[in-house]
Amino acid sequence: MTTSVALPPFEAPPRTEVSARLRWRMLRSAFVLGAAIAGTGLALLPLLSILAHLAITGWQAVGVALVTDVPRPIGVEGGGLGNGIAGSIVVVALAALACVPLGVGAGLWVHEHRGTRAADALTFLADVLNGVPSIVLGITAWALLVRPVGRFSALAGAAALAMVAIPLVLRATSDVLAQVPRTLWEAGLALGYPRWRAGLAVVLATARAGVATGVLVALARVAGETAPLLFTAFGSLYWALDPRGPVAALPLQVYAMALSPFDAWRSLAAAGALLLVIGVAGASVLARRALAHVMRGRA
Amino acid sequence: MTTNGTGMLHAERSTFTAAPARGSGGLAAEQVSAWHGTRRVLHDVTLPFPHGEITALVGPSGCGKSTLLRCLNRLHELAPGAAVAGQVRLDGAPVYDASHDVEALRRQVAMVFQRPTPFPAWSIGDNVLAGLPSRGRTLAPAERRARAQLALERAGLWEEVHDRLGASPLSLSGGQQQRLCLARALVTAPRALLLDEPTSALDLANALRLERTFDALRNSMAIVLVTHDLTQARRLADRIAVMWDGALLVHDTPVAVLEEHDDPRVRALVEA
């Protein structure tokens, strides 16, 4: 048996009033949306104009020789930035060897000891270092590693880049680890893990995608640094890849060639800068995609 | 004990079965006090947790139940500013002595937390074996699987996960994750099991299923259960300890505590 309940009659508000209010809200929404799109466009304008300038100026130099050849002497056609690309890879790889264990380790330590004076002090120091102009860190590396030895080197360049990257990695690591529930760490300890193992095997492993993203973004940023390398890696016109001696680096070549009065070199500089922008953007996109992939896998 | 894989498995099984008699051994808190900074949160609690029995710790929020639990496996001292006084004994051995191996203690006094804590980066199988040295990777594959199977069977999860031990633990439901954490706790053959409101985040069906598992484990270890659910305490516990404002109020059988005790605080708790 079914029973029916008598409902009070529904009284709709006057139709014209609703429509007018709705129109006004739609108008406001369209205005705000338009303003947001215009703001985004304005913010992207510098990036797009840089990319356009680099593409227009550097397209003549784009080719296989760009990554396989070394710069030719002034007046000789052709040439490339192969030695700079290889040198940058060497210097950034050496910097990664130092900044990944030190930065991630320090970030893990700060996370484990958060709330203590030592952890607060280290975080503050990292923030200060992040604000120090990179040329200052380059001069520091020169004073510590180049002057005493008496020669420029890729190792000194890597040390300078590591000084820039370590506080970035530290901050990224501690921020990502803060998202890991403390109960996971305690669960590791409750299984009999020592603190270091619970930190590494449980907390860091849980946040590994986020930490890897932070490391990649930091390395992408330092890969484009020029100032620290001016006093350390110094640069070279040849295929010099010995880490104990001066090496070419892409940002150094872009810097030197962009200042030159020769069209061929300026075109090479633009192509090199385009490579740097694409490399940095590509690393960031890859890192984000990898992170998204891992997070999807977990869900 | 033999060192080959099969021998270790048999040793594990024998640890589960050849245990001290009910009521003997187990854990015991002796005059345990605890602090968070300058705030004293436990006051001279003395309480036995005998082998083969489930002891339920009940009381209002903030009365010190979980703190006492964390003192039993020395997790409390890891909190910033935390301090502990008194002694805890595991089968008579003083665990707060400087010479006592804290990591070995935590393998012998396993713990399951309020919310499931599977390690997301590891597979289900690796989670189960997480308490073994090197996650059991030094063992032969068949031995690893046997150890995982044994623990998962005891936690009542084997049938549901036996064909996906390599999958992420996050693919499991909340109740399954909690049973996975129980299996992980059991793989080291602990002598005591600490349960910190293990069913409070689960639906009734999963909670009852987990309760049946605890009941089945009763005879093989000392079990300490922190719960706000007095009906759960009545169903499971051999003894109930009521905590109040950091102190032990009463410790007796469920009937004596929940039906016969006339302390107004206990009555208020029971009738709430």
Side-chain angles (χ1 to χ4, degrees):
Chain A
M1 192 178 78
T2 57
T3 56
S4 61
V5 178
L7 294 171
F10 174 69
E11 288 182 19
R15 190 176 177 79
T16 50
E17 189 186 327
V18 171
S19 297
R21 195 186 301 163
L22 188 60
R23 267 202 305 275
W24 170 238
R25 285 170 61 185
M26 286 173 71
L27 194 68
R28 278 198 306 176
S29 174
F31 174 76
V32 172
L33 186 64
I37 291 171
T40 307
L42 275 175
L44 285 175
L45 203 58
L47 175 65
L48 293 175
S49 63
I50 288 170
L51 285 174
H53 171 74
L54 294 179
I56 291 166
T57 317
W59 74 271
Q60 288 170 325
V62 174
V64 177
L66 179 69
V67 294
T68 59
D69 211 346
V70 294
R72 296 282 172 82
I74 295 159
V76 178
E77 285 297 311
L81 303 170
N83 59 338
I85 295 168
S88 277
I89 291 171
V90 168
V91 174
V92 172
L94 288 171
L97 285 178
C99 83
V100 172
L102 286 176
V104 173
L108 183 60
W109 189 89
V110 163
H111 171 74
E112 296 269 324
H113 296 86
R114 63 189 179 282
T116 64
R117 283 185 182 179
D120 288 347
L122 192 55
T123 305
F124 176 72
L125 278 176
D127 290 343
V128 170
L129 263 180
N130 275 333
V132 171
S134 57
I135 196 165
V136 175
L137 299 177
I139 293 170
T140 306
W142 173 82
L144 293 174
L145 297 168
V146 175
R147 196 175 176 204
V149 178
R151 66 188 300 192
F152 298 102
S153 68
L155 283 170
L161 293 188
M163 286 184 206
V164 179
I166 285 172
L168 291 171
V169 174
L170 185 157
R171 259 317 210 164
T173 302
S174 62
D175 287 350
V176 169
L177 295 184
Q179 307 301 315
V180 178
R182 184 179 167 84
T183 48
L184 278 187
W185 179 67
E186 289 186 333
L189 294 172
L191 287 172
Y193 288 10
R195 286 180 74 124
W196 66 266
R197 191 177 167 203
L200 277 179
V202 178
V203 180
L204 194 58
T206 302
R208 67 191 188 283
V211 172
T213 303
V215 168
L216 267 179
V217 169
L219 289 178
R221 193 195 131 181
V222 299
E225 284 285 350
T226 310
L229 300 179
L230 285 171
F231 308 95
T232 50
F234 192 67
S236 168
L237 290 171
Y238 311 105
W239 284 102
L241 297 176
D242 184 349
R244 294 167 299 178
V247 295
L250 196 53
L252 287 176
Q253 287 181 327
V254 169
Y255 172 70
M257 291 176 166
L259 291 177
S260 81
F262 309 106
D263 288 342
W265 273 30
R266 284 211 299 272
S267 183
L268 267 178
L274 198 60
L275 272 182
L276 275 174
V277 172
I278 290 170
V280 170
S284 300
V285 170
L286 270 180
R288 284 172 191 275
R289 286 182 70 106
L291 179 61
H293 178 72
V294 171
M295 297 314 287
R296 270 201 306 276
R298 283 185 195 170
Chain B
M1 189 173 77
T2 56
T3 53
N4 65 38
T6 311
M8 288 179 76
L9 177 62
H10 288 166
E12 179 93 354
R13 287 185 188 277
S14 68
T15 310
F16 287 148
T17 52
R22 176 176 171 151
S24 67
L27 275 169
E30 296 175 354
Q31 300 281 305
V32 172
S33 295
W35 289 261
H36 280 299
T38 56
R39 191 167 64 90
R40 191 172 184 179
V41 290
L42 278 184
H43 299 267
D44 299 323
V45 175
T46 297
L47 196 54
F49 305 100
H51 180 93
E53 288 190 8
I54 297 179
T55 304
L57 293 178
V58 301
S61 296
C63 70
K65 307 182 295 289
S66 292
T67 303
L68 176 60
L69 202 72
R70 286 161 174 269
C71 287
L72 298 178
N73 66 348
R74 293 186 61 174
L75 269 190
H76 174 71
E77 65 201 46
L78 294 170
V84 182
Q87 187 58 271
V88 172
R89 292 185 186 277
L90 175 62
D91 293 337
V95 305
Y96 275 93
D97 274 13
S99 60
H100 202 92
D101 183 345
V102 180
E103 285 142 22
L105 165 77
R106 292 185 186 136
R107 285 191 290 274
Q108 292 161 347
V109 182
M111 187 167 186
V112 176
F113 293 81
Q114 184 174 6
R115 293 194 175 276
T117 54
F119 301 147
W122 300 1
S123 67
I124 292 171
D126 279 348
N127 261 278
V128 177
L129 301 173
L132 299 178
S134 306
R135 251 184 279 172
R137 291 190 190 284
T138 52
L139 303 174
E143 168 69 3
R144 291 187 81 227
R145 188 173 172 87
R147 296 286 284 261
Q149 179 176 349
L150 186 61
L152 285 166
E153 281 175 350
R154 298 192 81 206
L157 191 61
W158 173 250
E159 289 303 321
E160 292 157 68
V161 301
H162 72 277
D163 56 349
R164 49 176 173 147
L165 292 177
S168 163
L170 300 187
S171 64
L172 302 176
S173 70
Q176 289 173 323
Q177 287 184 20
Q178 194 66 309
R179 277 182 280 146
L180 174 63
C181 293
L182 178 61
R184 188 175 66 189
L186 295 176
V187 84
T188 55
R191 289 190 269 171
L193 181 61
L194 311 179
L195 305 168
D196 192 358
E197 299 185 54
T199 60
S200 65
L202 304 181
D203 60 71
L204 186 61
N206 272 306
L208 290 174
R209 185 165 187 176
L210 208 51
E211 279 186 20
R212 284 197 292 275
T213 307
F214 298 147
D215 193 37
L217 292 170
R218 180 193 307 268
N219 291 326
S220 54
M221 60 192 73
I223 298 180
V224 188
L225 168 70
V226 167
T227 182
H228 281 286
D229 183 351
L230 293 184
T231 58
Q232 182 180 62
R234 183 196 290 270
R235 282 194 298 271
L236 279 177
D238 297 286
R239 286 180 180 274
I240 294 178
V242 180
M243 304 277 297
W244 197 277
D245 204 14
L248 177 64
L249 201 59
V250 56
H251 175 227
D252 213 327
T253 62
V255 171
V257 172
L258 300 178
E259 294 176 10
E260 297 167 1
H261 209 277
D262 56 2
D263 186 292
R265 292 165 293 186
V266 176
R267 297 315 322 152
L269 195 68
V270 171
E271 289 157 14

